[in-house]
């Protein structure tokens, strides 16, 4: 391990579902050092991968040859307050980015509910939020700068190397090392949040109306209950003053109820599986209604400290009702009970080649199981149900599909492989995960 300690070389993701030991770790402080690292890996015959924060549940971020740790390459390089375009270094976490944008009076149009990821990792794996008229994070990218396998530094956008841009916005780290991301942002805004339990049947019967009537709509369903927790986030007029949840209630709702108490119930369910169904119903019934408003990123992002494993698929919007009906019918028949809720979100169609929403308005179903509890039968059942409607797996969530299966679900799959063959003919950026999902 040249220039690396054993602790630096060892990598493990957040959920403990993937690990790797790198032969060498580089921590570049500028683009020149990224270029030098990629060239060095090529000269040594090593594969090379950029490391993010390890929040993917798959091994997409695993580096077995040279690992490029981008934690020293962070921050906002420039911001045009007139156009809203912001150039961000690729190792910047979404949490840091949100704080920097807020300081500049800017914000991302949409976010997921986790902010631990690096900006390059989040876009490369297809991270998304919810909103029927909005796309995932990658749709907010205006340009990218990458270091390719030969050490060249290239830029791409809709007008410059457009095919590379169409591929690299969700590129799985297989095309090069992203060094900067140019984002389209907008003036900072306040979101009004409404969260409340409602009967699942009522939610499903009016889902299209709810998605159309709200900027951001999603819901959670506990598999053994009849209630759903619905979440509506809507923009307030410019100049609105936030009215955030009080600190005491915020602590009780999020730290006590959603983390400490729910974590304790999960641990009990793991020890005594026979209690999972009543505990699941108890969790659903304990959800309370709440309304507040705050800066957008503070509403989008939620603290998640209870660890779990997750699989998520995007299905055509019109297929959602059928998929949920099958889950409601078949999950209660599983041998091993399910402790965590199912999360349902929506997104608009886009034109990014490996986007789960490519060419179709999509609904996302994310299933979870508490860490350490059996999940394989549940995840296999889920994959079989969504597979019937052409479901596409989130690249950062657990799934079993390979290149042959994925080719049938992505119309531009071979176009992506063509770009990869042109920019990385020796598969320098390949790892076992990309070898499975893209082919050798």
């Amino acid at each position: 391990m040249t220039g690396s300690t054993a602790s630096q070389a060892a990598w493990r993701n957040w959920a403990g579902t993937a690990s790797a030991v790198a032969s060498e770790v580089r921590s570049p402080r500028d683009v020149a050092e990224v270029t030098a690292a990629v060239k060095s890996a090529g000269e040594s015959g090593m594969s090379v991968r950029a490391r993010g924060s390890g929040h993917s549940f798959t091994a997409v971020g695993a580096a077995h040859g040279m690992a490029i740790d981008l934690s020293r390459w962070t921050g906002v390089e420039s911001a045009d307050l007139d156009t809203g375009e912001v150039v961000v270094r690729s190792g910047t976490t979404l949490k840091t980015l949100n704080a920097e944008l807020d300081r500049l009076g800017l914000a991302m149009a949409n976010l997921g509910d986790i902010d631990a990821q690096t900006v390059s990792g989040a876009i490369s794996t297809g991270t998304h939020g919810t909103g029927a008229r909005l796309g995932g994070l990658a749709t907010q990218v205006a340009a990218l700068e990458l270091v390719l396998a030969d050490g060249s530094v290239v830029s791409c956008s809709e007008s410059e190397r457009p095919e590379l841009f169409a591929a690299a916005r969700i590129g799985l780290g297989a095309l090069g090392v992203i060094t900067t991301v140019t984002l389209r942002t907008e003036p900072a805004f306040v979101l009004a949040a409404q969260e409340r339990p409602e009967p699942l049947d009522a939610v499903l019967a009016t889902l299209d109306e709810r998605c159309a009537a709200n900027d951001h709509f999603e819901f959670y369903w506990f598999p053994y209950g009849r209630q759903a927790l619905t979440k509506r986030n809507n923009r307030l007029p410019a100049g609105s003053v936030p009215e955030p949840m009080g600190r005491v209630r915020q602590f009780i709702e999020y730290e006590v109820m959603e983390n400490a108490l729910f974590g304790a119930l999960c641990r009990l369910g793991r020890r005594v599986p026979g209690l999972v169904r009543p505990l699941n119903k108890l969790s659903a019934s304990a959800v309370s209604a709440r309304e507040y408003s705050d800066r957008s990123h503070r509403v989008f992002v939620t603290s998640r400290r209870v660890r779990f494993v997750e699989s998520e698929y995007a299905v055509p919007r019109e297929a959602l009702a059928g998929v949920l009906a099958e889950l409601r019918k078949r999950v209660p028949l599983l041998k091993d009970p399910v402790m965590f809720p199912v999360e349902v979100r929506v997104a608009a169609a886009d034109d990014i080649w490996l986007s789960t929403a490519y060419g179709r308005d999509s609904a996302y179903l994310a299933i979870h199981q508490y860490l350490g509890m059996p999940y394989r039968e549940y995840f296999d059942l889920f994959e079989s149900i969504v597979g019937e409607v052409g479901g596409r797996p989130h690249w950062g969530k657990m799934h079993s599909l390979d290149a042959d299966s994925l080719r049938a679900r992505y119309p531009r799959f071979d176009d992506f492989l063509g770009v990869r063959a042109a920019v990385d003919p020796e598969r320098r950026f390949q790892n076992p995960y990309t070898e499975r999902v893209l082919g050798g």
Side-chain angles (χ1 to χ4, degrees), residues 47-340:
S47 63
V48 56
R49 297 284 293 179
R51 274 185 183 169
S53 61
H55 214 280
S56 290
F57 294 84
T58 65
V60 63
H64 300 270
M66 179 181 289
I68 296 182
D69 179 350
L70 294 169
S71 60
R72 298 173 72 183
W73 178 241
T74 63
V76 172
E77 282 205 344
S78 64
D80 187 326
L81 300 184
D82 292 326
T83 65
E85 289 198 351
V86 177
V87 180
V88 186
R89 292 172 180 169
S90 54
T92 309
T93 64
L94 293 176
K95 181 176 182 178
T96 299
L97 173 62
N98 289 334
E100 284 293 300
L101 292 179
D102 198 35
R103 184 180 62 81
L104 294 167
L106 301 171
M108 300 282 285
N110 200 9
L111 289 165
D113 63 358
I114 302 295
D115 61 4
Q117 310 101 308
T118 62
V119 63
S120 56
I123 65 170
S124 294
T125 54
T127 295
H128 62 92
T130 190
R133 295 177 292 275
L134 296 163
L137 265 65
T139 64
Q140 300 172 62
V141 175
L144 294 169
E145 181 185 84
L146 303 93
V147 176
L148 302 182
D150 62 3
S152 60
V153 181
V154 302
S155 297
C156 60
S157 65
E158 290 180 355
S159 59
E160 182 180 10
R161 301 187 70 152
E163 290 206 337
L164 178 60
F165 186 61
R169 277 181 287 172
I170 299 180
L172 313 184
L175 305 178
V177 178
I178 295 173
T179 49
T180 64
V181 180
T182 302
L183 294 168
R184 298 186 189 94
T185 68
E186 53 189 86
F189 57 94
V190 174
L191 281 176
Q194 294 178 314
E195 304 173 14
R196 61 174 179 260
E198 299 183 64
L200 177 62
D201 287 335
V203 174
L204 295 178
T206 57
L207 183 60
D208 287 341
E209 294 92 328
R210 292 167 186 255
C211 291
N214 295 279
D215 295 327
H216 312 272
F217 180 79
E218 65 182 300
F219 67 90
Y220 293 81
W221 161 61
F222 283 88
Y224 307 109
R226 297 182 178 181
Q227 292 287 96
L229 170 62
T230 60
K231 293 189 173 186
R232 300 167 177 81
N233 295 330
N234 288 292
R235 295 187 182 209
L236 294 180
S240 296
V241 178
E243 296 182 6
M245 192 182 299
R247 289 188 179 182
V248 172
R249 188 177 182 195
Q250 188 176 42
F251 176 78
I252 292 172
E253 294 278 0
Y254 294 109
E255 297 303 320
V256 176
M257 299 295 291
E258 292 193 6
N259 282 299
L261 180 58
F262 183 58
L265 294 178
C266 287
R267 291 190 293 275
L268 179 58
R270 185 171 60 188
R271 286 197 299 270
V272 188
L275 293 176
V276 168
R277 285 173 175 81
L279 290 174
N280 188 282
K281 292 179 180 179
L282 175 62
S283 298
S285 65
V287 174
S288 61
R290 53 203 180 204
E291 293 189 19
Y292 60 96
S293 64
D294 211 335
R295 309 289 278 185
S296 59
H297 66 93
R298 294 175 186 155
V299 175
F300 285 132
V301 174
T302 305
S303 173
R304 304 284 186 204
R305 293 203 308 278
V306 180
R307 303 213 175 196
F308 52 86
V309 292
E310 180 177 358
S311 178
E312 182 179 49
Y313 271 73
V315 301
R317 275 275 300 277
E318 61 273 16
L320 174 61
V323 170
L324 275 174
E326 283 297 301
L327 284 173
R328 295 178 75 183
K329 180 173 65 176
R330 298 169 66 179
V331 167
L333 304 178
L334 293 171
K335 179 182 66 176
D336 298 306
V338 178
M339 191 68 215
F340 257 72

